[in-house]
DNA sequence: AATGAACCCAACCGCTTCTCC
DNA sequence: TGGAGAAGCGGTTGGGTTCAT
């Protein structure tokens, strides 16, 4: 038996909030506060919404101190810096950025900063760990690279699904999630015709470099890191 | 002008943590 | 101290918008 749902999903409205609902929630909270109980609030405020939904709407959108619009360079830098230190602790990161919510920061990271972070990381890696095979053809982008995982948690997730992603430096030709699923990892040529070489020692660099933290345990908690890294390396060294 | 792809972000889901009894 | 319920949190989804062809 699972846990009881937080609200009766049959009788609550879902989807985008209407201006009327926003006004009702705002008015109620301005007059009464949320009363220490989000679950009871929708009923008291006359809203057919789940308490969690009300909480989210208030915290992420209706609060008077919310800052909407572009992120400044300083905010970018702060997010980069904090993410490199603590990973995807969005609420902690958001708490350092007045007026920004965890959802805001998370969305901003996922849509803008992650790309940049991966490019930076990948460029660093490509200089030391990846060599193009001489057999690459003209339709291939000029520089191959491995897009590194941006955090231990995403690395764990990706590892669980076998999802280390290979990318080209040409953003328009991202290899469609060329999964390095151990032995089925596009042995030989990838769909873009690349041949890859990743030196064994560099696997450790790749995994323990910035952003990875202590990845061996996080990636493969059920097996020796060396063994798995060996497999991983084998899967990548196709010359 | 039409259409498909890519992007963006609000909202949802479900798991974890906290608080209270 | 343990259990139940509420809050908090991070990952994911889906729909609207913009861009490219």
């Amino acid at each position: 038996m699972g846990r009881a749902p937080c609200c009766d999903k049959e009788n609550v409205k879902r989807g985008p909030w209407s201006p009327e609902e926003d006004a009702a929630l705002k008015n109620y909270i301005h007059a009464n506060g949320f009363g220490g109980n989000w679950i009871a609030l929708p009923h008291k405020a006359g809203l057919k919404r789940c308490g969690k939904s009300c909480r989210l709407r208030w915290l992420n959108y209706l609060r008077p101190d919310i800052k909407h619009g572009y992120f400044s360079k300083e905010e970018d830098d702060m997010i980069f810096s904090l993410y490199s230190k603590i990973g995807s602790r969005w609420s902690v990161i958001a708490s350092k950025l007045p007026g920004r919510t965890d959802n805001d920061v998370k969305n901003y990271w996922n849509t803008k900063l992650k790309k940049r972070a991966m490019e930076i990381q990948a460029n660093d890696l490509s200089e030391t760990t990846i060599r193009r095979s001489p057999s690459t053809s003209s339709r291939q982008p000029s520089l191959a690279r491995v897009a590194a995982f941006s955090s231990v948690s995403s690395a764990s997730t990706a590892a669980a699904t076998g999802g280390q992603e290979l990318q080209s430096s040409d953003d328009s030709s991202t290899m469609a999630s060329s999964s390095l699923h151990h032995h089925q990892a596009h042995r030989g040529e990838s769909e873009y015709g690349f041949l890859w070489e990743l030196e064994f020692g560099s696997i450790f660099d790749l995994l323990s470099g910035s952003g990875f933290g202590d990845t061996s345990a996080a990636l493969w908690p059920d097996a020796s890191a060396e063994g798995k890294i060996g497999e991983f390396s084998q899967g990548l060294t196709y010359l």
Side-chain angles (χ1 to χ4, degrees):
Chain A
M1 193 175 92
R3 180 180 168 164
C6 66
C7 55
D8 179 1
K9 292 188 191 309
E10 298 297 316
N11 295 312
V12 297
K13 184 169 179 277
R14 296 166 67 185
W17 281 64
S18 68
E20 292 75 26
E21 289 176 308
D22 280 350
L25 180 59
K26 243 178 175 172
N27 291 340
Y28 182 85
I29 291 179
H30 281 147
N32 308 289
F34 81 98
N37 188 343
W38 285 105
I39 302 295
L41 184 144
H43 179 69
K44 291 179 187 169
L47 289 162
K48 288 192 180 326
R49 289 276 181 177
C50 174
K52 282 176 81 166
S53 179
C54 292
R55 175 184 161 272
L56 217 58
R57 185 64 179 170
W58 174 256
L59 292 178
N60 289 341
Y61 198 81
L62 297 176
R63 259 192 307 160
D65 55 338
I66 290 286
K67 194 197 286 183
H68 296 288
Y70 295 111
F71 280 69
S72 66
K73 172 81 170 56
E74 288 71 29
E75 287 174 314
D76 271 20
D77 292 344
M78 178 71 86
I79 294 170
F80 259 114
S81 163
L82 288 170
Y83 188 91
S84 70
K85 292 192 183 96
I86 63 174
S88 57
R89 306 272 308 277
W90 305 120
S91 61
V92 176
I93 295 172
S95 72
K96 307 294 178 194
L97 300 168
R100 300 296 186 185
T101 69
D102 56 349
N103 211 33
D104 261 351
V105 174
K106 178 172 60 182
N107 282 333
Y108 187 59
W109 175 269
N110 285 334
T111 56
K112 302 265 177 57
L113 301 183
K114 187 159 79 175
K115 265 187 240 163
R116 261 167 53 195
M118 290 179 81
E119 277 174 15
I120 290 166
Q121 200 161 30
N123 283 337
D124 288 349
L125 282 166
S126 69
E127 287 177 13
T128 53
T129 64
I130 306 293
R131 295 202 299 272
R132 284 283 301 283
S133 158
S135 64
T136 53
S137 71
S138 59
R139 72 190 169 105
Q140 294 154 1
S142 60
L143 176 68
R145 72 189 189 212
V146 168
F149 290 111
S150 56
S151 74
V152 170
S153 64
S154 62
S156 312
T157 305
T161 58
Q164 173 79 313
E165 191 177 66
L166 290 173
Q167 275 192 335
S168 77
S169 63
D170 177 354
D171 285 338
S172 67
S173 61
T174 299
M175 295 157 78
S177 296
S178 297
S179 172
L180 295 180
H181 199 246
H182 295 308
H183 307 100
Q184 64 158 13
H186 303 280
R187 184 171 279 280
E189 291 194 57
S190 76
E191 62 202 77
Y192 275 70
F194 285 100
L195 292 175
W196 297 84
E197 175 191 13
L198 185 56
E199 292 163 356
F200 181 74
S202 67
I203 296 282
F204 286 95
D205 295 338
L206 186 142
L207 293 175
S208 60
S210 66
F212 284 102
D214 178 15
T215 49
S216 57
L219 282 165
W220 300 298
D222 58 334
S224 79
E226 287 79 6
K228 286 289 188 182
I229 287 169
E231 278 186 19
F232 187 56
S233 170
Q234 279 191 330
L236 277 168
T237 308
Y238 309 129
L239 292 172

